[in-house]
Amino acid sequence: MSEETNVNTDEKTTTDAKSGGDRRLFAKPRRAGEETVWDLMYRAIYQSVMFLLVFAVLSAIAGYMFSGILGVWSALVAIVAVVLLCLTNPVLVAVLSRMHLRPAAYLTWFLLGWMVKIGIVVVILLGVQHASWLNPKLSAVFMLIGAAVILAAEIHTAATSRVPYVDPPVKRDRDDD
């Protein structure tokens, strides 16, 4: 384990030298300092991975119950597609926030990233459409459920985060004084 990160499993807290304090996983952030983009992305990735693990286990069990081993393969393909959708979003936000783009350029790159991700999922769906080693309908249903689970994880992260809101200073005319 590196010197920068110390994880205490007894109290379920994480000490990170970069952020300068303790934080509980799944807890609301500290009030003293607002949450940085990296803190927010860490929480988003952590919560998404937890939701993905639960989704992977449940979809593999449901796939086996509905379609046998073909259902397990269907669940595996859906998990890969959902991981692509899930974990690239926080990484994309973190990278774009480091580039210090104007809001319009930021939104353009963010939406372009989303279009690429959706395009890859469509290619996966078209690729498994006639596959004999899985159930394509079950795989599509698992992808839809997985996307909904990831959306819930991202909404939870956004709803419980504290992002600073800053009003730009108002310019005054010299004549108003």
Side-chain angles (χ1 to χ4, degrees):
M1 192 172 282
S2 70
E3 294 177 8
E4 292 181 5
T5 304
N6 178 20
V7 177
N8 183 354
T9 56
D10 295 338
E11 297 177 14
K12 302 270 186 199
T13 61
T14 302
T15 303
D16 191 357
K18 291 179 183 175
S19 64
D22 290 337
R23 63 175 180 239
R24 289 192 184 126
L25 302 176
F26 289 107
K28 288 190 176 183
R30 304 173 303 271
R31 281 188 180 258
E34 296 295 341
E35 201 171 23
T36 66
V37 171
W38 290 104
D39 289 338
L40 181 64
M41 292 305 110
Y42 168 79
R43 255 187 343 117
I45 290 171
Y46 180 81
Q47 290 177 359
S48 296
V49 166
M50 291 299 119
F51 282 115
L52 279 172
L53 290 175
V54 170
F55 171 70
V57 170
L58 292 178
S59 64
I61 291 169
Y64 185 75
M65 288 173 53
F66 285 117
S67 208
I69 197 70
L70 297 178
V72 174
W73 282 110
S74 301
L76 183 64
V77 168
I79 290 166
V80 168
V82 170
V83 165
L84 173 75
L85 276 173
C86 167
L87 296 181
T88 55
N89 198 32
V91 171
L92 182 64
V93 169
V95 168
L96 288 176
S97 68
R98 289 282 180 151
M99 295 173 71
H100 304 291
L101 299 171
R102 291 178 299 156
Y106 182 90
L107 183 62
T108 301
W109 281 105
F110 186 76
L111 291 177
L112 181 65
W114 262 98
M115 284 191 250
V116 168
K117 288 192 301 187
I118 297 300
I120 291 172
V121 169
V122 167
V123 168
I124 290 172
L125 284 172
L126 290 174
V128 300
Q129 185 177 10
H130 299 293
S132 62
W133 49 277
L134 58 78
N135 185 342
K137 289 180 184 175
L138 190 60
S139 183
V141 167
F142 284 150
M143 282 185 207
L144 184 63
I145 292 171
V149 166
I150 293 310
L151 179 62
E154 289 178 358
I155 287 173
H156 179 263
T157 300
T160 59
S161 65
R162 295 185 188 274
V163 178
Y165 179 79
V166 180
D167 284 330
V170 178
K171 292 185 179 182
R172 291 187 184 193
D173 288 338
R174 291 186 176 243
D175 297 334
D176 291 341
D177 291 336

CSV table of all heavy atoms in Angstrom, one decimal, residues 70-105:
chain,number,residue,atom,x,y,z
A,70,LEU,N,-26.3,-20.4,-21.6
A,70,LEU,CA,-26.5,-19.3,-22.5
A,70,LEU,C,-26.8,-18.0,-21.8
A,70,LEU,O,-26.4,-16.9,-22.2
A,70,LEU,CB,-27.5,-19.6,-23.6
A,70,LEU,CG,-27.3,-20.8,-24.5
A,70,LEU,CD1,-28.5,-21.0,-25.4
A,70,LEU,CD2,-26.0,-20.6,-25.3
A,71,GLY,N,-27.6,-18.1,-20.7
A,71,GLY,CA,-28.0,-16.9,-20.0
A,71,GLY,C,-26.8,-16.3,-19.2
A,71,GLY,O,-26.7,-15.1,-19.0
A,72,VAL,N,-25.9,-17.2,-18.8
A,72,VAL,CA,-24.7,-16.7,-18.1
A,72,VAL,C,-23.8,-15.9,-19.1
A,72,VAL,O,-23.3,-14.9,-18.8
A,72,VAL,CB,-23.9,-17.8,-17.4
A,72,VAL,CG1,-22.6,-17.4,-16.8
A,72,VAL,CG2,-24.8,-18.5,-16.3
A,73,TRP,N,-23.7,-16.5,-20.3
A,73,TRP,CA,-22.9,-15.7,-21.3
A,73,TRP,C,-23.6,-14.4,-21.7
A,73,TRP,O,-22.9,-13.4,-21.9
A,73,TRP,CB,-22.7,-16.6,-22.6
A,73,TRP,CG,-21.6,-17.7,-22.4
A,73,TRP,CD1,-21.8,-19.0,-22.3
A,73,TRP,CD2,-20.2,-17.4,-22.3
A,73,TRP,NE1,-20.6,-19.6,-22.1
A,73,TRP,CE2,-19.6,-18.7,-22.1
A,73,TRP,CE3,-19.4,-16.3,-22.3
A,73,TRP,CZ2,-18.3,-18.8,-21.9
A,73,TRP,CZ3,-18.1,-16.4,-22.1
A,73,TRP,CH2,-17.5,-17.7,-22.0
A,74,SER,N,-24.9,-14.4,-21.7
A,74,SER,CA,-25.6,-13.2,-22.0
A,74,SER,C,-25.4,-12.2,-20.9
A,74,SER,O,-25.1,-11.0,-21.2
A,74,SER,CB,-27.1,-13.5,-22.1
A,74,SER,OG,-27.4,-14.4,-23.1
A,75,ALA,N,-25.3,-12.6,-19.7
A,75,ALA,CA,-25.1,-11.7,-18.6
A,75,ALA,C,-23.6,-11.2,-18.7
A,75,ALA,O,-23.4,-10.0,-18.4
A,75,ALA,CB,-25.3,-12.4,-17.2
A,76,LEU,N,-22.7,-12.0,-19.0
A,76,LEU,CA,-21.3,-11.6,-19.2
A,76,LEU,C,-21.1,-10.5,-20.2
A,76,LEU,O,-20.4,-9.5,-20.0
A,76,LEU,CB,-20.4,-12.8,-19.5
A,76,LEU,CG,-18.9,-12.5,-19.5
A,76,LEU,CD1,-18.4,-12.0,-18.2
A,76,LEU,CD2,-18.2,-13.7,-20.0
A,77,VAL,N,-21.8,-10.7,-21.4
A,77,VAL,CA,-21.7,-9.7,-22.4
A,77,VAL,C,-22.3,-8.4,-21.9
A,77,VAL,O,-21.8,-7.3,-22.2
A,77,VAL,CB,-22.4,-10.2,-23.7
A,77,VAL,CG1,-22.6,-9.0,-24.7
A,77,VAL,CG2,-21.6,-11.3,-24.3
A,78,ALA,N,-23.4,-8.5,-21.2
A,78,ALA,CA,-24.1,-7.3,-20.7
A,78,ALA,C,-23.2,-6.6,-19.7
A,78,ALA,O,-23.2,-5.3,-19.6
A,78,ALA,CB,-25.5,-7.6,-20.1
A,79,ILE,N,-22.6,-7.3,-18.8
A,79,ILE,CA,-21.7,-6.7,-17.8
A,79,ILE,C,-20.6,-6.0,-18.5
A,79,ILE,O,-20.2,-4.9,-18.0
A,79,ILE,CB,-21.2,-7.8,-16.9
A,79,ILE,CG1,-22.3,-8.4,-16.0
A,79,ILE,CG2,-20.0,-7.3,-16.0
A,79,ILE,CD1,-22.0,-9.6,-15.3
A,80,VAL,N,-20.0,-6.5,-19.5
A,80,VAL,CA,-18.9,-5.8,-20.2
A,80,VAL,C,-19.4,-4.5,-20.8
A,80,VAL,O,-18.7,-3.5,-20.7
A,80,VAL,CB,-18.3,-6.7,-21.3
A,80,VAL,CG1,-17.4,-5.9,-22.2
A,80,VAL,CG2,-17.5,-7.9,-20.7
A,81,ALA,N,-20.6,-4.5,-21.4
A,81,ALA,CA,-21.1,-3.3,-22.0
A,81,ALA,C,-21.4,-2.3,-20.9
A,81,ALA,O,-21.2,-1.1,-21.1
A,81,ALA,CB,-22.3,-3.6,-22.8
A,82,VAL,N,-22.0,-2.7,-19.8
A,82,VAL,CA,-22.4,-1.8,-18.7
A,82,VAL,C,-21.1,-1.3,-18.0
A,82,VAL,O,-21.1,-0.1,-17.6
A,82,VAL,CB,-23.3,-2.5,-17.7
A,82,VAL,CG1,-23.5,-1.7,-16.4
A,82,VAL,CG2,-24.6,-2.8,-18.3
A,83,VAL,N,-20.1,-2.1,-17.9
A,83,VAL,CA,-18.8,-1.5,-17.3
A,83,VAL,C,-18.2,-0.4,-18.2
A,83,VAL,O,-17.8,0.6,-17.8
A,83,VAL,CB,-17.8,-2.7,-17.1
A,83,VAL,CG1,-16.4,-2.1,-16.9
A,83,VAL,CG2,-18.2,-3.5,-16.0
A,84,LEU,N,-18.3,-0.6,-19.5
A,84,LEU,CA,-17.9,0.4,-20.5
A,84,LEU,C,-18.7,1.7,-20.3
A,84,LEU,O,-18.1,2.8,-20.2
A,84,LEU,CB,-18.0,-0.1,-21.9
A,84,LEU,CG,-17.8,0.9,-23.0
A,84,LEU,CD1,-16.3,1.2,-23.1
A,84,LEU,CD2,-18.3,0.5,-24.3
A,85,LEU,N,-20.0,1.5,-20.2
A,85,LEU,CA,-20.9,2.7,-19.9
A,85,LEU,C,-20.6,3.4,-18.6
A,85,LEU,O,-20.6,4.6,-18.5
A,85,LEU,CB,-22.3,2.3,-20.0
A,85,LEU,CG,-23.0,2.2,-21.3
A,85,LEU,CD1,-24.4,1.7,-21.2
A,85,LEU,CD2,-23.0,3.6,-22.0
A,86,CYS,N,-20.3,2.6,-17.6
A,86,CYS,CA,-20.3,3.1,-16.2
A,86,CYS,C,-18.9,3.8,-15.9
A,86,CYS,O,-18.9,4.9,-15.5
A,86,CYS,CB,-20.5,1.9,-15.3
A,86,CYS,SG,-20.0,2.2,-13.6
A,87,LEU,N,-17.9,3.1,-16.1
A,87,LEU,CA,-16.6,3.6,-15.6
A,87,LEU,C,-15.9,4.6,-16.5
A,87,LEU,O,-15.0,5.3,-16.0
A,87,LEU,CB,-15.6,2.4,-15.3
A,87,LEU,CG,-16.1,1.4,-14.2
A,87,LEU,CD1,-15.1,0.3,-14.0
A,87,LEU,CD2,-16.4,2.2,-12.9
A,88,THR,N,-16.4,4.7,-17.7
A,88,THR,CA,-15.8,5.7,-18.6
A,88,THR,C,-16.3,7.1,-18.3
A,88,THR,O,-15.7,8.1,-18.5
A,88,THR,CB,-16.0,5.4,-20.0
A,88,THR,OG1,-17.4,5.2,-20.3
A,88,THR,CG2,-15.2,4.2,-20.4
A,89,ASN,N,-17.5,7.2,-17.7
A,89,ASN,CA,-18.1,8.5,-17.5
A,89,ASN,C,-17.4,9.3,-16.4
A,89,ASN,O,-17.0,10.5,-16.6
A,89,ASN,CB,-19.6,8.3,-17.1
A,89,ASN,CG,-20.4,9.6,-17.2
A,89,ASN,OD1,-20.1,10.4,-18.1
A,89,ASN,ND2,-21.4,9.8,-16.4
A,90,PRO,N,-17.1,8.7,-15.2
A,90,PRO,CA,-16.3,9.5,-14.2
A,90,PRO,C,-14.9,9.9,-14.7
A,90,PRO,O,-14.4,10.9,-14.5
A,90,PRO,CB,-16.2,8.6,-13.0
A,90,PRO,CG,-17.3,7.7,-13.1
A,90,PRO,CD,-17.6,7.5,-14.6
A,91,VAL,N,-14.3,8.9,-15.5
A,91,VAL,CA,-12.9,9.2,-16.0
A,91,VAL,C,-13.0,10.3,-17.0
A,91,VAL,O,-12.2,11.2,-17.0
A,91,VAL,CB,-12.4,7.9,-16.6
A,91,VAL,CG1,-11.1,8.2,-17.4
A,91,VAL,CG2,-12.1,6.9,-15.6
A,92,LEU,N,-14.0,10.3,-17.9
A,92,LEU,CA,-14.2,11.4,-18.9
A,92,LEU,C,-14.4,12.7,-18.2
A,92,LEU,O,-13.8,13.7,-18.6
A,92,LEU,CB,-15.4,11.1,-19.8
A,92,LEU,CG,-15.7,12.0,-20.9
A,92,LEU,CD1,-14.6,12.0,-21.9
A,92,LEU,CD2,-17.0,11.6,-21.6
A,93,VAL,N,-15.2,12.8,-17.2
A,93,VAL,CA,-15.4,14.1,-16.4
A,93,VAL,C,-14.1,14.5,-15.8
A,93,VAL,O,-13.8,15.7,-15.8
A,93,VAL,CB,-16.5,13.9,-15.4
A,93,VAL,CG1,-16.6,15.1,-14.5
A,93,VAL,CG2,-17.9,13.7,-16.1
A,94,ALA,N,-13.4,13.6,-15.2
A,94,ALA,CA,-12.2,14.0,-14.5
A,94,ALA,C,-11.1,14.5,-15.5
A,94,ALA,O,-10.4,15.5,-15.2
A,94,ALA,CB,-11.6,12.8,-13.7
A,95,VAL,N,-11.0,13.9,-16.6
A,95,VAL,CA,-10.0,14.3,-17.6
A,95,VAL,C,-10.4,15.6,-18.2
A,95,VAL,O,-9.6,16.6,-18.3
A,95,VAL,CB,-9.8,13.2,-18.7
A,95,VAL,CG1,-9.1,13.8,-19.9
A,95,VAL,CG2,-9.2,12.0,-18.2
A,96,LEU,N,-11.7,15.8,-18.5
A,96,LEU,CA,-12.1,17.1,-19.1
A,96,LEU,C,-12.0,18.2,-18.1
A,96,LEU,O,-11.8,19.4,-18.5
A,96,LEU,CB,-13.6,16.9,-19.6
A,96,LEU,CG,-13.8,16.1,-20.9
A,96,LEU,CD1,-15.3,16.0,-21.2
A,96,LEU,CD2,-13.0,16.7,-22.0
A,97,SER,N,-12.2,17.9,-16.8
A,97,SER,CA,-12.1,19.0,-15.9
A,97,SER,C,-10.7,19.5,-15.7
A,97,SER,O,-10.4,20.6,-15.3
A,97,SER,CB,-12.7,18.6,-14.5
A,97,SER,OG,-11.8,17.6,-13.9
A,98,ARG,N,-9.7,18.6,-16.0
A,98,ARG,CA,-8.3,19.0,-15.9
A,98,ARG,C,-7.9,19.8,-17.1
A,98,ARG,O,-6.8,20.5,-17.1
A,98,ARG,CB,-7.4,17.8,-15.9
A,98,ARG,CG,-7.4,17.0,-14.6
A,98,ARG,CD,-6.6,17.7,-13.6
A,98,ARG,NE,-6.6,17.0,-12.3
A,98,ARG,CZ,-5.7,17.0,-11.5
A,98,ARG,NH1,-4.6,17.7,-11.7
A,98,ARG,NH2,-5.8,16.4,-10.4
A,99,MET,N,-8.6,19.8,-18.2
A,99,MET,CA,-8.3,20.5,-19.4
A,99,MET,C,-8.7,22.0,-19.4
A,99,MET,O,-8.3,22.8,-20.2
A,99,MET,CB,-8.9,19.9,-20.6
A,99,MET,CG,-8.4,18.5,-20.9
A,99,MET,SD,-9.2,17.6,-22.2
A,99,MET,CE,-8.7,18.4,-23.6
A,100,HIS,N,-9.5,22.4,-18.4
A,100,HIS,CA,-9.9,23.8,-18.2
A,100,HIS,C,-10.5,24.4,-19.5
A,100,HIS,O,-10.1,25.4,-20.0
A,100,HIS,CB,-8.7,24.7,-17.7
A,100,HIS,CG,-8.1,24.2,-16.5
A,100,HIS,ND1,-8.7,24.2,-15.3
A,100,HIS,CD2,-6.9,23.6,-16.3
A,100,HIS,CE1,-8.0,23.7,-14.4
A,100,HIS,NE2,-6.8,23.3,-14.9
A,101,LEU,N,-11.5,23.7,-20.0
A,101,LEU,CA,-12.2,24.1,-21.2
A,101,LEU,C,-13.3,25.1,-20.9
A,101,LEU,O,-13.8,25.1,-19.8
A,101,LEU,CB,-12.8,22.9,-21.9
A,101,LEU,CG,-11.8,21.8,-22.4
A,101,LEU,CD1,-12.5,20.6,-22.8
A,101,LEU,CD2,-10.9,22.3,-23.5
A,102,ARG,N,-13.7,25.8,-21.9
A,102,ARG,CA,-14.9,26.7,-21.7
A,102,ARG,C,-16.1,25.7,-21.6
A,102,ARG,O,-16.0,24.6,-22.1
A,102,ARG,CB,-15.0,27.6,-22.9
A,102,ARG,CG,-13.9,28.7,-23.0
A,102,ARG,CD,-14.0,29.5,-24.2
A,102,ARG,NE,-13.9,28.6,-25.4
A,102,ARG,CZ,-14.4,28.9,-26.6
A,102,ARG,NH1,-15.0,30.0,-26.8
A,102,ARG,NH2,-14.2,28.1,-27.6
A,103,PRO,N,-17.2,26.2,-21.0
A,103,PRO,CA,-18.3,25.3,-20.9
A,103,PRO,C,-18.9,24.7,-22.2
A,103,PRO,O,-19.2,23.5,-22.2
A,103,PRO,CB,-19.4,26.3,-20.2
A,103,PRO,CG,-18.6,27.3,-19.5
A,103,PRO,CD,-17.4,27.5,-20.4
A,104,ALA,N,-18.9,25.5,-23.2
A,104,ALA,CA,-19.4,24.9,-24.5
A,104,ALA,C,-18.5,23.8,-25.0
A,104,ALA,O,-18.9,22.8,-25.5
A,104,ALA,CB,-19.5,26.0,-25.5
A,105,ALA,N,-17.2,24.0,-24.9
A,105,ALA,CA,-16.2,23.0,-25.4
A,105,ALA,C,-16.3,21.8,-24.5
A,105,ALA,O,-16.2,20.6,-24.9
A,105,ALA,CB,-14.8,23.6,-25.4
